[in-house]
């Protein structure tokens, strides 16, 4: 497969591509470093919004350690490496609990306060359908099959 370019042009194109990819990775690394430095601020914002989110997250990590030491260490390592994403995720989770969690608690309280009154009715006679009516319905079911359409 010849693209109509000589060896020098192909090498130059490959180097340009590698340079662009390297610059993109460098840019992402610099953004990641900045976010890593801002992670304590993100965690503080999550604590301010809804403190129980951080406690719940720590309990999840603790349960992972209780289930498996290797899994707990792996989880903890991933939490440290991905701290900016975890912190931003905890902010969103805290915001959601603050915004929608209260509505759910209010709805649950409203449901608890709204019991409907009922009265037990004893000795109620339930009529059973006649056997002839049951046979008639069964025969109608048998007659309403579509088997005769395929003959």
């Amino acid at each position: 497969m010849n693209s109509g370019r000589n060896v020098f042009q192909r090498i130059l194109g490959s180097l340009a591509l590698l340079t662009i990819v390297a610059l993109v990775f460098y840019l992402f690394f610099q953004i990641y470093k900045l976010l890593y430095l801002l992670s304590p601020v993100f965690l503080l914002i999550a604590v301010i919004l809804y403190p129980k989110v951080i406690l719940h997250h720590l309990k999840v990590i603790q349960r992972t350690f209780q289930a498996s030491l290797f899994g707990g260490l792996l989880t903890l390592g991933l939490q440290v490496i991905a701290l900016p994403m975890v912190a931003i995720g905890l902010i969103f989770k805290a915001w959601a609990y603050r915004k929608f969690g209260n509505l759910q608690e209010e709805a649950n309280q409203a449901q608890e306060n709204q019991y409907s009154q009922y009265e037990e009715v004893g000795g109620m006679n339930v009529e059973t359908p006649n056997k002839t009516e049951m046979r008639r319905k069964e025969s109608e079911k048998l007659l309403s099959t579509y088997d005769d359409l395929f003959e």
Side-chain angles (χ1 to χ4, degrees):
M1 295 290 235
N2 191 1
S3 64
R5 298 181 182 173
N6 61 20
V7 175
F8 176 74
Q9 289 174 335
R10 283 190 243 159
I11 291 174
L12 188 63
S14 298
L15 288 175
L17 177 67
L18 288 175
T19 305
I20 291 171
V21 169
L23 286 174
V24 168
F25 277 126
Y26 180 75
L27 177 67
F28 282 137
F29 178 72
Q30 294 302 321
I31 291 171
Y32 180 77
K33 270 188 359 185
L34 176 67
L35 290 176
Y36 205 86
L37 293 174
L38 292 176
S39 294
V41 176
F42 295 151
L43 291 173
L44 183 64
I45 292 171
V47 167
I48 290 171
L49 286 175
Y50 198 77
K52 292 181 181 179
V53 169
I54 301 292
L55 295 174
H56 176 67
H57 189 71
L58 292 175
K59 286 180 184 177
V60 168
I61 294 172
Q62 179 187 10
R63 276 189 246 134
T64 308
F65 266 107
Q66 289 173 350
S68 166
L69 179 65
F70 179 71
L73 289 173
L74 185 64
T75 301
L76 189 62
L78 289 174
Q79 298 288 322
V80 170
I81 291 171
L83 184 61
M85 281 71 74
V86 171
I88 291 171
L90 287 174
I91 287 175
F92 284 124
K93 191 174 182 181
W95 173 78
Y97 273 122
R98 185 173 183 181
K99 183 82 172 171
F100 303 113
N102 295 336
L103 296 176
Q104 184 178 8
E105 290 173 4
E106 292 171 3
N108 288 341
Q109 288 175 357
Q111 284 179 348
E112 289 175 4
N113 295 335
Q114 295 179 351
Y115 291 114
S116 59
Q117 298 294 330
Y118 70 95
E119 180 180 327
E120 282 191 37
V121 179
M124 189 170 160
N125 293 333
V126 179
E127 295 181 16
T128 58
N130 293 338
K131 289 184 180 183
T132 56
E133 187 177 330
M134 288 176 61
R135 285 186 198 139
R136 183 182 56 82
K137 287 182 181 178
E138 287 177 12
S139 66
E140 286 178 3
K141 285 181 187 177
L142 290 174
L143 291 175
S144 68
T145 61
Y146 294 103
D147 290 338
D148 58 343
L149 295 175
F150 298 107
E151 291 179 358

